[in-house]
Amino acid sequence: MFDLFTLGLIGGGFLLAGFVKGVVGLGLPTVSLAVLAVAIDLPTAMALLVVPSLCTNIWQAVGGGHFGVLVRRLWPLLLAVAVMVWVGVQLSSQIDIAILTRILGVLLVIYALSALTGTNVQIPLRMEPVIAALCGAVNGVLTGLTGTLFMPGIIYLQALGLTRDQLVQAMGLLFAVSTASLGVNLQHVGRIDAGLWAVSAAALLPALIGMQCGRYCRGYLSEPLFRKIFLITLAGLGLYITM
């Protein structure tokens, strides 16, 4: 299915993505898609991220002690994501791959710039269910179209004023539900076959190794500096992909 160079790129991409997630707590699907989209078509890259992203985010979602509280608060967001991924996957088959890849690039740039500029929005408690459903719907469609799991869901989560541990666990919930729904829908439309499932499962190993290395290095790196370099690099990759 893939030549040795491509397999090496896949392994290296998930190793790097796992490292980033180990250091800053997020970024595995974002980095892996950004790297893989350079040499692999976006639908294939989306299929490959399913197993590594799902497994690492389930672990992130269930750990931390806030699972029940977060599910009760975030269920409108999570339900909308799970449902609307199907819409995005259906639309993606009708849109040119080059256009989808450019959409991915634009999303990467928007996310990186919003994080670098410290964009912060506050949501009134009474409006949470409505805004959560709207953000979840948009997030789900974009996940189905491009494989990105974070926009605008992560901005919504950051606007809730959660503690650091709650935010990390909430991101795990969002990403786990998004990835699970993506995998189910890609399987349903025949965009993941046995070969891609096998390569995706194999990609879990370098992702886990990268995460362990990232955790180890976390204590020796300045997280703000690393995060800034990561976001600038991500914006650069996004610009490259759009060209």
Side-chain angles (χ1 to χ4, degrees), residues 70-118:
L70 290 172
V71 169
R72 287 192 293 272
R73 187 173 184 181
L74 300 177
W75 71 263
L77 174 76
L78 302 176
L79 179 61
V81 167
V83 172
M84 296 304 289
V85 167
W86 176 83
V87 176
V89 170
Q90 297 300 316
L91 290 174
S92 68
S93 63
Q94 304 173 32
I95 301 176
D96 184 79
I97 291 176
I99 295 176
L100 290 179
T101 304
R102 289 188 175 90
I103 292 173
L104 170 62
V106 171
L107 288 174
L108 292 175
V109 173
I110 292 173
Y111 171 68
L113 292 179
S114 66
L116 282 169
T117 56

Side-chain angles (χ1 to χ4, degrees), residues 2 6-19 28 32 36 40 44-56 195-211:
F2 299 110
T6 305
L7 288 173
L9 178 68
I10 293 170
F14 280 103
L15 184 69
L16 175 62
F19 178 81
L28 189 146
S32 58
L36 296 180
I40 300 174
T44 302
M46 288 168 57
L48 292 175
L49 74 83
V50 171
V51 174
S53 180
L54 179 61
C55 292
T56 55
L196 282 178
W197 277 118
V199 177
S200 182
L204 177 61
L205 179 60
L208 290 175
I209 292 173
M211 282 185 66

Side-chain angles (χ1 to χ4, degrees), residues 61-208:
V62 300
H66 307 287
F67 183 82
V69 173
L70 290 172
V71 169
R72 287 192 293 272
R73 187 173 184 181
L74 300 177
W75 71 263
L77 174 76
L78 302 176
L79 179 61
V81 167
V83 172
M84 296 304 289
V85 167
W86 176 83
V87 176
V89 170
Q90 297 300 316
L91 290 174
S92 68
S93 63
Q94 304 173 32
I95 301 176
D96 184 79
I97 291 176
I99 295 176
L100 290 179
T101 304
R102 289 188 175 90
I103 292 173
L104 170 62
V106 171
L107 288 174
L108 292 175
V109 173
I110 292 173
Y111 171 68
L113 292 179
S114 66
L116 282 169
T117 56
T119 301
N120 187 23
V121 181
Q122 292 187 338
I123 299 174
L125 185 61
R126 68 182 184 279
M127 293 298 295
E128 278 189 21
V130 175
I131 297 176
L134 291 173
C135 288
V138 176
N139 205 121
V141 171
L142 292 176
T143 295
L145 281 172
T146 67
T148 54
L149 311 177
F150 51 81
M151 289 293 289
I154 194 169
I155 296 177
Y156 171 80
L157 293 177
Q158 290 172 337
L160 294 180
L162 301 172
T163 66
R164 179 177 177 180
D165 290 342
Q166 287 175 333
L167 179 59
V168 169
Q169 194 169 358
M171 289 191 297
L173 271 170
L174 171 63
F175 299 156
V177 170
S178 299
T179 308
S181 183
L182 180 64
V184 169
N185 283 285
L186 290 179
Q187 176 69 44
H188 179 70
V189 298
R191 281 171 46 186
I192 305 184
D193 56 23
L196 282 178
W197 277 118
V199 177
S200 182
L204 177 61
L205 179 60
L208 290 175

